[in-house]
């Protein structure tokens, strides 16, 4: 074996040793990996701030000892996993829930007494917190039949608009043909039977007119996408009398809601006590005016 080959083998060997040493350091001597420092250190500031609040301090220390992180996603994971103990610890530790869709999501999947207890533990048991709109998580399908009714109602209005739009297109296209044919007839008179003259000029007219030919409209396939409901509406649609009563006691009465459709239009709707859906502002569909 020549000298270059020997040096090459030695070089590869040294490189391998360096990679092994660095990997060992990273996983054994790097405290952020070995001791989970990022998670542990995330509690430093809240623990320091809670030194005079025994309940909050105890909850923070318990979470830290369990190797969890002081982060909002951990609370969301606990809620979605229905880990009551962990939810309680994060709330007692002072974590504020920022994801409103979790509230309505839990109403859909949880028994009413558990949902009410959850709301009160969060400190959301007041009209201000329980009012407004809450986006329904898409993976929950219990309310889908009601959403499809709204989709159908929007589609009906959209169909009417589309038919009117197509009538407008028919008129525009007819006028376009009339103008083109009029110019072609003028060429025939001008050329006085000269076939070459007619062929050249008619081709030029047709080519030019094709640039402005009206485009036939195509119908959209419409779907509901993002429903946002008041909690009272959700409770009514779920038929949950206990939660309806609870919300009424808290002064929550709003039943006005909105639905974003696949064409990005918003449908505003209201739900009565009998689950009947109405549209106090009417149903406004996308403007389908012709562009050419």
């Amino acid at each position: 074996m020549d000298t270059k080959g020997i040096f090459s083998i030695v070089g590869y060997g040294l490189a391998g040793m360096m990679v092994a040493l660095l990997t060992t350091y990273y996983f054994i001597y790097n405290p952020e990996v070995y001791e989970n420092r990022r998670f542990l250190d995330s509690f430093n500031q809240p623990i320091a701030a809670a030194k005079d609040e025994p309940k909050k301090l105890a909850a923070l220390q318990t979470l830290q000892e369990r190797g969890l992180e002081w982060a909002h996603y951990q609370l969301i994971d606990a809620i979605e996993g229905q880990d009551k103990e962990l939810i309680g610890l994060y709330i007692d530790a002072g974590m504020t829930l920022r994801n409103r869709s979790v509230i309505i999501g839990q109403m859909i999947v949880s028994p009413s007494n558990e949902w009410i207890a959850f709301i009160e533990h969060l400190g959301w048991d007041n009209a201000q917190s329980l009012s407004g709109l809450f986006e329904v998580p898409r993976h929950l399908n219990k309310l889908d039949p009601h959403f499809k009714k709204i989709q159908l109602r929007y589609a009906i209005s959209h169909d009417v608009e589309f038919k009117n739009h197509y009538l407008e297109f028919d008129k525009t296209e007819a006028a376009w043909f009339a103008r083109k044919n009029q110019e072609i007839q003028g060429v025939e008179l001008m050329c006085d039977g000269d076939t070459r003259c007619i062929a050249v000029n008619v081709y030029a007219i047709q080519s030019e007119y094709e640039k402005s030919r009206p485009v036939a409209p195509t119908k959209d396939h419409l779907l509901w996408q993002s429903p946002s409901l008041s909690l009272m509406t959700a409770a009514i649609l779920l038929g949950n009398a206990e939660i309806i009563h609870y919300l009424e006691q808290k002064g929550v009465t709003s039943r006005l809601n909105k639905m974003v459709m696949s064409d990005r239009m918003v449908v505003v709707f209201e739900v009565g006590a009998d689950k009947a859906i109405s549209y106090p502002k009417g149903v406004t569909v996308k403007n389908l005016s012709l562009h050419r």
Side-chain angles (χ1 to χ4, degrees):
M1 182 180 294
D2 59 17
T3 306
K4 287 184 179 180
I6 293 171
F7 282 136
S8 178
I9 293 170
V10 171
Y12 283 127
L14 288 172
M17 288 176 63
M18 286 298 296
V19 170
L21 286 170
L22 289 171
T23 303
T24 302
Y25 170 80
Y26 185 77
F27 286 102
I28 296 180
Y29 295 102
N30 184 350
E32 184 164 328
V33 175
Y34 187 63
E35 300 176 19
N36 200 15
R37 282 258 57 98
R38 180 170 68 87
F39 279 26
L40 293 172
D41 291 347
S42 68
F43 286 92
N44 290 347
Q45 187 174 344
I47 284 176
K51 62 181 180 180
D52 297 324
E53 301 176 73
K55 183 179 179 181
K56 182 183 287 189
L57 182 60
L60 285 164
Q61 289 172 336
T62 301
L63 290 168
Q64 187 183 44
E65 288 167 3
R66 292 189 181 185
L68 297 167
E69 185 177 11
W70 182 248
H72 187 257
Y73 80 89
Q74 294 272 28
L75 174 58
I76 298 298
D77 287 349
I79 292 171
E80 291 179 347
Q82 297 190 322
D83 188 329
K84 296 177 186 177
E85 182 188 6
L86 204 53
I87 295 168
L89 284 170
Y90 271 103
I91 293 170
D92 289 345
M95 178 71 74
T96 302
L97 179 65
R98 301 192 300 272
N99 186 342
R100 288 169 63 86
S101 69
V102 170
I103 299 294
I104 198 167
Q106 287 302 300
M107 180 192 288
I108 293 170
V109 302
S110 302
S112 54
N113 61 324
E114 290 186 10
W115 183 82
I116 291 170
F118 166 63
I119 290 298
E120 293 183 345
H121 201 164
L122 279 177
W124 280 50
D125 51 335
N126 57 80
Q128 183 177 354
S129 297
L130 297 172
S131 296
L133 296 181
F134 297 73
E135 187 172 347
V136 179
R138 284 303 302 265
H139 67 279
L140 301 177
N141 57 15
K142 197 168 185 178
L143 297 176
D144 284 9
H146 302 289
F147 298 154
K148 287 177 181 176
K149 290 179 183 177
I150 298 163
Q151 175 183 303
L152 178 60
R153 175 65 181 82
Y154 181 78
I156 291 170
S157 296
H158 188 274
D159 285 348
V160 172
E161 175 67 15
F162 183 78
K163 287 175 183 176
N164 293 335
H165 180 47
Y166 213 97
L167 288 173
E168 181 188 351
F169 164 75
D170 282 342
K171 293 176 183 176
T172 303
E173 188 181 46
W176 177 84
F177 271 118
R179 290 194 304 272
K180 185 178 76 167
N181 290 335
Q182 186 176 9
E183 286 206 34
I184 290 173
Q185 288 172 3
V187 165
E188 291 173 349
L189 290 172
M190 178 188 72
C191 291
D192 193 24
D194 185 338
T195 55
R196 186 175 184 283
C197 173
I198 292 172
V200 170
N201 285 281
V202 167
Y203 176 77
I205 289 170
Q206 288 178 332
S207 297
E208 190 62 30
Y209 264 84
E210 281 302 315
K211 296 176 184 177
S212 61
R213 185 180 189 124
V215 178
T218 55
K219 194 172 182 180
D220 293 330
H221 180 58
L222 298 169
L223 297 169
W224 64 268
Q225 285 195 330
S226 301
S228 295
L229 308 180
S230 70
L231 294 178
M232 181 61 79
T233 291
I236 290 171
L237 293 177
L238 291 167
N240 195 318
E242 187 175 353
I243 291 181
I244 292 171
H245 179 65
Y246 176 79
L247 293 172
E248 286 174 341
Q249 284 185 319
K250 297 298 178 182
V252 180
T253 57
S254 174
R255 297 172 186 169
L256 206 60
N257 318 274
K258 69 178 183 180
M259 171 86 75
V260 179
M261 307 303 295
S262 55
D263 61 357
R264 309 314 300 164
M265 294 299 290
V266 176
V267 178
V268 176
F269 63 98
E270 194 169 13
V271 176
D274 58 353
K275 299 186 182 182
I277 299 172
S278 59
Y279 304 87
K281 297 184 179 181
V283 177
T284 303
V285 299
K286 190 175 182 179
N287 185 354
L288 301 176
S289 59
L290 294 172
H291 298 293
R292 295 173 69 177

